[in-house]
Amino acid sequence: MSGSRCPQCAQPWVSPRLLPCLHSLCEPCLRRLEPPEGSPGAARPVLCPVCDAEVSLPAGGVGQLVPDCLAGSRAGAAAGCDLCADGAAAGRCLTCGLRLCRFCCRAHRRQKKTASHAVTELENTKDWSQTGKPLLCPSHPTEELRLYCEECDQPVCRDCVLGRHRQHPCDFTSSVIHRHGDTLRELLKSSQQHMDTLEDVLSQVDEMGSAVRSRTEAVATEICQFARGYVKAIEEHRDRLLKQLEDLKVQKENLLHLQKAQLQQLLLDMRTGVEFTEHLLMSGSDVEILITKGVVSSRLTKLNSVAYSTHPSVDDRIQFSPHERAGQCCGYEVFGAILNKVVDPARCTLHGEDLHSARQNQLSGFTLLCKDTTGEHMGRGGEAVRVTITHKDKRDCTLKPTVCDNGDGTYCISYSPEEPGLYAVCVCVKGQHVQGSPFTLMVKHKFREHQGVFHCCTFCSSGGQKAARCACGGTMPGGYQGCGHGHKGHPGCHHWSCCGQVKESSECLCVPPSDTSQRSLLRTVAL
């Protein structure tokens, strides 16, 4: 609701106009906000300085906006007395239209000249509006707005009805106010319901904001606790790694010191023996040389047979892997490990039953075991393993093996060959062949289950019919030599399959021709 002053210029109202957003401004203020004229008849947008809403001015400009009569009434109610100019207006004379303070109201009633005037108390804004000056028609300033044009939806005066509203349905404002007032009251009721809902939603929004802030503080506390715990775990893991590094350094230094002491002692013994022998050969007589030859030879032979390493017993291969999983520390998973093992491809080995043989269209594979330079199991994964399997006769026939890192230093290599034949297999770690690589792989034909009727020989199983056929439709190759089951002159038995391959058997598999129900044997063979 607007006060007694314009919200833009903070001055008393001067011809207040009502914007579509229901905020009022003085007409001079609105004209200063009015944008330059555009195309004729086009609505021009203006930004309300109260709510920042963009509203459109009528095509006729600011003058076509609805006047805010209530703002003018409130300005009048807030004005001072017209007679004494000392007190605030508390009433209005309906006869002369003067604003009067309470003292002047009583004086106005006592004076003989104005005693008959009707003076009304201004108890609220509505009373002031009802008792104020009549609203005059902007087109006919001398006529009061007492009629209402239904078609144009606006109050009009008597001259307007006789003029451009002649053909429009019009009625007195007192007759239509109830109907239009009821419409406004219904809209007001609906708006009030929305206001209640909005206030409830705003209350929920405020409560949710408080809940979000509370939850944020709780989560922030959890984060700080987690961070403190994590920092503690990292610091403890750091101390553990540094201690492990120090222990590793001491271990390597001790081994180097031991090797150094052994080599120094061996060198001292060698130098002593060499110097003594050189002095003996240069200064000793023949007899002296011959006398001491045995002792000197024994000593030098023993020294020369002492085994020693020509390289340091340890190396400086100490690495830190920040991405290596290091297990749990204070309940947190930590990363980072000291690596002193380096894979040696020449010591890596291959294992598995399918290392050198496989079957066509069957999944096969083998295992790669990675070892370090000392031959010990690596115990961790992450190595660069590359495997190639190429057909020796068909260079364009290559397999795409799958390498699975088990994370413990072993790698499972699986493949499924589609073509039989001889293959060359290369297994490399860090670009170098492992032990036994490259090697050959023999892929055999796949098993084909054959369920047919096989005759042990063309004579015995068919009752002497030379043109006997297998149940699969193939003819029986080979002779028809008998098996000795009552078939004279045919000793021995050749057992043939329908594919012409001799079946290895130490005894005859045929049956006498009289037993017709068992003349044939169901066999499954690998073709």
Side-chain angles (χ1 to χ4, degrees):
M1 178 182 291
S2 302
S4 60
R5 295 177 179 270
C6 173
Q8 178 69 7
C9 62
Q11 298 298 322
W13 290 110
V14 177
S15 300
R17 297 284 178 172
L18 189 64
L19 292 171
C21 60
L22 300 184
H23 289 124
S24 300
L25 294 176
C26 287
E27 185 173 341
C29 295
L30 284 172
R31 293 196 180 279
R32 285 193 292 269
L33 295 176
E34 187 177 13
E37 293 187 6
S39 58
R44 288 171 290 175
V46 66
L47 197 64
C48 175
V50 179
C51 64
D52 291 334
E54 184 178 299
V55 295
S56 297
L57 295 179
V62 174
Q64 297 299 318
L65 288 173
V66 176
D68 188 357
C69 303
L70 293 179
S73 300
R74 287 191 295 273
C81 178
D82 290 338
L83 293 181
C84 65
D86 292 333
R92 183 179 181 85
C93 177
L94 300 180
T95 305
C96 57
L98 295 176
R99 293 186 294 267
L100 305 173
C101 63
R102 294 189 181 279
F103 178 80
C104 293
C105 284
R106 292 192 294 270
H108 206 66
R109 293 190 183 98
R110 289 197 301 268
Q111 291 179 3
K112 185 177 181 180
K113 184 184 295 185
T114 58
S116 60
H117 290 189
V119 179
T120 304
E121 297 286 338
L122 298 179
E123 296 180 355
N124 51 49
T125 305
K126 184 173 181 64
D127 293 335
W128 172 258
S129 177
Q130 290 175 344
T131 58
K133 294 180 180 181
L135 296 178
L136 302 179
C137 177
S139 301
H140 308 92
T142 59
E143 294 293 331
E144 184 179 353
L145 295 173
R146 293 185 177 183
L147 299 170
Y148 186 79
C149 177
E150 296 286 353
E151 183 172 336
C152 299
D153 193 21
Q154 66 179 25
V156 293
C157 67
R158 182 185 58 182
D159 291 349
C160 291
V161 172
L162 297 176
R164 57 192 180 95
H165 297 274
R166 179 184 297 273
Q167 303 298 329
H168 297 176
C170 297
D171 200 350
F172 289 99
T173 55
S174 58
S175 301
V176 300
I177 186 60
H178 299 290
R179 177 163 50 87
H180 290 281
D182 291 341
T183 303
L184 286 177
R185 276 185 281 274
E186 288 295 327
L187 290 175
L188 175 63
K189 183 179 179 180
S190 177
S191 299
Q192 289 173 339
Q193 292 176 352
H194 283 294
M195 286 179 61
D196 295 338
T197 303
L198 289 172
E199 289 176 353
D200 183 57
V201 174
L202 284 174
S203 176
Q204 295 180 20
V205 169
D206 292 337
E207 292 176 359
M208 184 57 66
S210 301
V212 168
R213 287 189 292 271
S214 300
R215 186 57 188 158
T216 301
E217 293 175 359
V219 172
T221 303
E222 294 178 6
I223 292 174
C224 292
Q225 292 177 351
F226 171 80
R228 285 193 294 268
Y230 213 159
V231 169
K232 182 180 177 181
I234 292 175
E235 290 177 348
E236 184 172 329
H237 182 53
R238 175 202 61 193
D239 297 339
R240 189 169 60 185
L241 288 175
L242 292 176
K243 185 179 183 304
Q244 181 182 352
L245 180 61
E246 182 66 21
D247 293 343
L248 182 60
K249 184 195 75 169
V250 171
Q251 178 185 359
K252 287 181 176 288
E253 287 180 343
N254 290 340
L255 292 175
L256 290 174
H257 290 160
L258 178 61
Q259 184 185 17
K260 182 179 180 180
Q262 293 174 346
L263 292 176
Q264 286 177 341
Q265 184 62 45
L266 181 59
L267 178 60
L268 179 60
D269 294 341
M270 286 281 190
R271 183 177 288 113
T272 301
V274 168
E275 290 177 352
F276 182 84
T277 303
E278 288 178 347
H279 179 70
L280 176 64
L281 292 175
M282 292 178 62
S283 304
S285 63
D286 295 343
V287 176
E288 291 174 343
I289 294 175
L290 293 175
I291 291 174
T292 58
K293 178 184 76 70
V295 178
V296 174
S297 298
S298 176
R299 178 60 174 170
L300 292 179
T301 301
K302 183 179 179 180
L303 292 175
N304 291 334
S305 63
V306 175
Y308 60 91
S309 175
T310 58
H311 302 284
S313 58
V314 297
D315 52 38
D316 62 347
R317 293 175 180 174
I318 303 176
Q319 298 178 352
F320 175 69
S321 177
H323 304 293
E324 191 83 12
R325 293 182 180 271
Q328 296 283 329
C329 184
C330 298
Y332 296 88
E333 185 176 6
V334 293
F335 294 83
I338 296 175
L339 308 178
N340 62 330
K341 288 185 176 182
V342 179
V343 66
D344 186 358
R347 294 180 180 270
C348 299
T349 55
L350 299 170
H351 308 273
E353 297 180 357
D354 299 333
L355 190 59
H356 296 286
S357 63
R359 187 68 65 174
Q360 182 184 6
N361 290 336
Q362 288 188 0
L363 185 64
S364 306
F366 53 89
T367 303
L368 168 65
L369 176 60
C370 289
K371 299 180 180 180
D372 62 4
T373 53
T374 62
E376 294 183 0
H377 183 200
M378 287 294 296
R380 59 177 176 82
E383 304 296 343
V385 178
R386 184 173 60 88
V387 181
T388 60
I389 305 177
T390 308
H391 201 290
K392 284 196 170 184
D393 297 329
K394 301 177 181 179
R395 294 299 178 182
D396 57 342
C397 179
T398 58
L399 303 183
K400 295 181 179 179
T402 301
V403 179
C404 179
D405 186 352
N406 297 324
D408 58 356
T410 61
Y411 300 82
C412 292
I413 295 95
S414 58
Y415 59 92
S416 180
E418 297 181 356
E419 292 289 338
L422 202 61
Y423 287 79
V425 183
C426 297
V427 181
C428 297
V429 175
K430 291 187 175 180
Q432 300 180 24
H433 286 280
V434 302
Q435 188 179 124
S437 175
F439 60 92
T440 57
L441 169 67
M442 182 62 190
V443 177
K444 300 178 182 179
H445 285 276
K446 64 180 179 179
F447 281 109
R448 181 165 59 90
E449 186 174 300
H450 187 291
Q451 294 181 348
V453 180
F454 294 89
H455 303 273
C456 64
C457 69
T458 58
F459 185 80
C460 300
S461 298
S462 64
Q465 297 180 10
K466 299 180 180 180
R469 284 181 175 270
C470 175
C472 69
T475 57
M476 302 300 297
Y480 50 91
Q481 296 166 308
C483 63
H485 287 176
H487 309 292
K488 297 180 180 180
H490 301 285
C493 183
H494 295 286
H495 303 282
W496 298 83
S497 72
C498 62
C499 294
Q501 297 179 354
V502 178
K503 302 297 294 181
E504 297 179 359
S505 178
S506 60
E507 59 184 31
C508 179
L509 300 179
C510 65
V511 296
S514 59
D515 191 354
T516 57
S517 63
Q518 299 183 5
R519 288 183 177 178
S520 301
L521 299 177
L522 292 175
R523 309 268 308 161
T524 301
V525 297
L527 300 181

